Amino acid sequence: MAKERVTVCVPPCDPGDVVQAITAAMAPFDYNRDAGVGDPDVETWWDYWQIDGRGCEFLVVPGHEDDPRLIRGAKALSGEPRNVPPTLCDGGPRGLLDLETPRARAAAEASRAFDAWRDFAKAYPPVRSASEYWARHFADPENYPRAQALEDFRTQPAIAALLDTPELEDLVGDDPVASLGDDRDSLVRHAMDSALPSNALLTLDGRWLDVANAERRRYFSDYLIGLPADAYAVRVLYHG
């Protein structure tokens, strides 16, 4: 069992009732729940949880940092006090959460990486992804050993030059053909979809969705953006 985070969505309510609303939303997934409650759609269970978005806090819409409807957990799971900056929160009404800035930053970073690699690589012969070399190795490991596959990948002129350019490698990765692809628009959309999700999403109608692939990340982002402005979205740390 591991500690992960689920973004819990609850209907509009008084700020003082948010914890109670989250408790009710989480109840069907309680490992120690009464047998008569019934099984949720997704086999995900928790045995304890608390509000704690550390590492994936929401940005607050500028100018609303002191809004009393924002939620900031006072303590970490270890019991140590948390000091959440005013620009961040663990949750609040969707209208107070700045969902667009992280997406815009992710899009800009993806675009920068794609363009930087394309500009760099055009001076060299076409590059093959490491996966092509590994496929050849796995198909015939005796005659094409792992060390040879790695050497052949790394000695491609563009990759060899990339490995000597650490700042660019930090931006584009060590296998940019695989990580960036050849479709700029798809890369940017993927980056935007990956900017908001936590490990799971608990929807207003009680569906627990594990966010484990690109389709679910896109759904998560679209769902969160489409929430009513006064509905709450809260990062919850759970042990499951």
Side-chain angles (χ1 to χ4, degrees):
M1 302 180 84
K3 298 182 185 72
E4 295 185 335
R5 282 179 174 82
V6 55
T7 299
V8 180
C9 302
V10 296
C13 61
D14 184 275
D17 295 332
V18 172
V19 172
Q20 182 179 351
I22 294 173
T23 300
M26 294 283 287
F29 306 91
D30 184 353
Y31 183 78
N32 298 307
R33 74 197 190 289
D34 293 336
V37 171
D39 292 337
D41 293 337
V42 178
E43 296 251 342
T44 302
W45 314 106
W46 58 266
D47 54 5
Y48 57 85
W49 63 267
Q50 71 175 49
I51 294 173
D52 182 349
R54 183 172 46 177
C56 64
E57 292 98 335
F58 290 110
L59 281 175
V60 178
V61 172
H64 295 272
E65 292 82 0
D66 296 327
D67 194 296
R69 293 171 293 173
L70 294 174
I71 299 169
R72 298 180 176 97
K75 292 184 178 181
L77 200 59
S78 63
E80 297 178 357
R82 291 178 64 217
N83 183 19
V84 183
T87 56
L88 301 176
C89 67
D90 295 323
R94 194 272 303 159
L96 296 180
L97 309 179
D98 182 356
L99 305 180
E100 289 307 318
T101 294
R103 286 163 55 82
R105 289 174 179 169
E109 185 76 1
S111 295
R112 188 163 74 92
F114 187 91
D115 294 341
W117 170 245
R118 280 299 177 93
D119 289 345
F120 180 83
K122 66 185 180 183
Y124 301 93
V127 182
R128 298 164 65 187
S129 171
S131 62
E132 296 188 37
Y133 296 94
W134 294 130
R136 181 180 169 189
H137 161 67
F138 290 128
D140 189 7
E142 184 174 346
N143 293 311
Y144 192 65
R146 178 183 180 88
Q148 187 64 55
L150 186 59
E151 181 181 356
D152 288 349
F153 169 69
R154 288 181 172 176
T155 55
Q156 295 179 97
I159 297 299
L162 175 65
L163 296 176
D164 287 333
T165 314
E167 289 186 3
L168 180 62
E169 186 184 2
D170 287 344
L171 177 64
V172 305
D174 57 6
D175 188 3
V177 173
S179 61
L180 302 177
D182 58 4
D183 185 335
R184 190 177 192 272
D185 290 342
S186 294
L187 178 70
V188 169
R189 178 60 198 259
H190 174 78
M192 293 175 67
D193 290 340
S194 300
L196 297 178
S198 53
N199 302 106
L201 171 69
L202 183 49
T203 64
L204 289 175
D205 59 355
R207 291 174 296 130
W208 183 300
L209 303 175
D210 291 325
V211 182
N213 55 46
E215 182 179 356
R216 284 288 176 86
R217 286 191 291 273
R218 178 166 297 186
Y219 180 85
F220 183 110
S221 297
D222 290 344
Y223 185 87
L224 209 60
I225 292 169
L227 276 179
D230 52 355
Y232 277 78
V234 183
R235 303 292 204 193
V236 170
L237 176 69
Y238 68 95
H239 181 257

